[in-house]
Amino acid sequence: MIELIPAIDIIGGQCVRLTKGDYNQKTVYGEDPALIAKDFEAMGFKRLHVVDLDGAKSKHIVNDEVLRRITSATALTVDFGGGIKTDEDIEKAFAAGAAMVTVGSIAVTCPELCERWIKEYGAEKIILGADVRNGKISINGWKEDSTEDLVPFLGKYVEMGVKNVLCTEISKDGTLGGPAIELYKTVMDVFPEMHLIASGGVSSNEDIYRLEESGVPAVVFGKAMYEGKIDVEKLLAWAKK
């Protein structure tokens, strides 16, 4: 059964969502991310994806105290990303209660550091962030496109032992336009053992059902939850079957 992971994105300590990663297209959904996380836990979710959008833009962790409040207030398994560029950043994330960290930009710009983290912390604690635009990996809060093509980029890290990959199709993110299922099928065909986490575009329960049918192991969703387009009770009942 596909793993269901609601998301909290943070700017200025608030829970927000962007459209296509555009910081100028921001909607605030809550003043206190910890309260929202408690609500998700009360609904029955076990996992949570937290993104420090300030950190992604600033190139260092900014909202680790918000992460700490979330992990102190809930028993959710939290993965955290955004601005993790240095040993100090990754240490801050784990110290604030993250069970896993998502590394994206640094995986492009400094693969040697990522490889060391994989060895030091264990591959199960590292999620490779693969944010895709026009087939290329984007970095630094989606502000820059790299020259890295998706499949070779993933292959390099699979060889290092990475199993968990969060793949976001940027053109879909925050649009409620449906997930990039063909992209995820392509990735799963090449890397069938990968724990691929689909991200971007989920607009309904049906989108999640389609991802499950396509063999995608996990899905992150945010805006659809906040906009009331996902029937949570029905989704969780389906997931228990």
Side-chain angles (χ1 to χ4, degrees):
M1 177 56 65
I2 193 167
E3 188 175 19
L4 305 171
I5 311 172
I8 291 177
D9 291 357
I10 304 167
I11 292 180
Q14 298 176 317
C15 177
V16 307
R17 297 301 289 177
L18 305 181
T19 299
K20 299 183 181 180
D22 185 349
Y23 283 72
N24 294 317
Q25 297 187 61
K26 178 183 77 174
T27 304
V28 176
Y29 287 103
E31 298 292 328
D32 188 348
L35 288 178
I36 292 172
K38 288 179 72 173
D39 286 344
F40 288 158
E41 184 177 41
M43 290 173 190
F45 291 105
K46 305 298 183 185
R47 272 283 300 272
L48 180 65
H49 175 62
V50 177
V51 181
D52 181 354
L53 289 174
D54 292 315
K57 194 173 184 179
S58 303
K59 302 183 182 180
H60 62 85
I61 284 184
V62 174
N63 287 294
D64 52 305
E65 284 306 314
V66 179
L67 170 63
R68 191 184 304 277
R69 292 207 311 272
I70 290 170
T71 58
S72 297
T74 73
L76 293 166
T77 300
V78 179
D79 69 81
F80 179 83
I84 297 175
K85 310 282 191 189
T86 65
D87 287 330
E88 182 183 6
D89 289 323
I90 196 169
E91 288 163 8
K92 275 186 178 180
F94 284 128
M100 293 163 277
V101 297
T102 302
V103 295
S105 302
I106 200 71
V108 173
T109 60
C110 194
E112 299 85 2
L113 179 58
C114 281
E115 185 172 16
R116 177 163 64 78
W117 286 347
I118 291 163
K119 291 175 180 175
E120 184 174 339
Y121 293 100
E124 71 281 357
K125 288 186 171 291
I126 305 293
I127 299 173
L128 178 65
D131 302 327
V132 186
R133 180 163 46 210
N134 300 321
K136 302 288 186 181
I137 300 296
S138 288
I139 60 175
N140 295 328
W142 302 347
K143 297 297 181 187
E144 304 169 40
D145 291 334
S146 75
T147 58
E148 295 267 9
D149 291 311
L150 176 62
V151 170
F153 173 74
L154 295 178
K156 180 168 55 180
Y157 280 96
V158 167
E159 288 182 6
M160 293 181 195
V162 166
K163 301 280 188 195
N164 301 299
V165 174
L166 175 72
C167 187
T168 303
E169 170 50 75
I170 294 169
S171 68
K172 297 280 190 180
D173 193 68
T175 66
L176 301 175
I181 289 178
E182 291 307 313
L183 173 69
Y184 302 132
K185 282 183 177 178
T186 299
V187 172
M188 293 303 299
D189 284 346
V190 180
F191 307 106
E193 301 305 313
M194 180 180 289
H195 189 74
L196 180 67
I197 307 166
S199 172
V202 170
S203 67
S204 64
N205 290 41
E206 287 67 29
D207 283 338
I208 295 172
Y209 303 158
R210 287 169 59 221
L211 286 165
E212 160 76 14
E213 290 168 3
S214 300
V216 176
V219 58
V220 164
F221 44 90
K223 191 171 186 177
M225 280 277 292
Y226 299 116
E227 297 282 343
K229 296 183 180 298
I230 287 179
D231 185 327
V232 173
E233 188 174 346
K234 184 183 289 187
L235 180 66
L236 292 172
W238 167 79
K240 290 177 181 176
K241 290 180 182 178

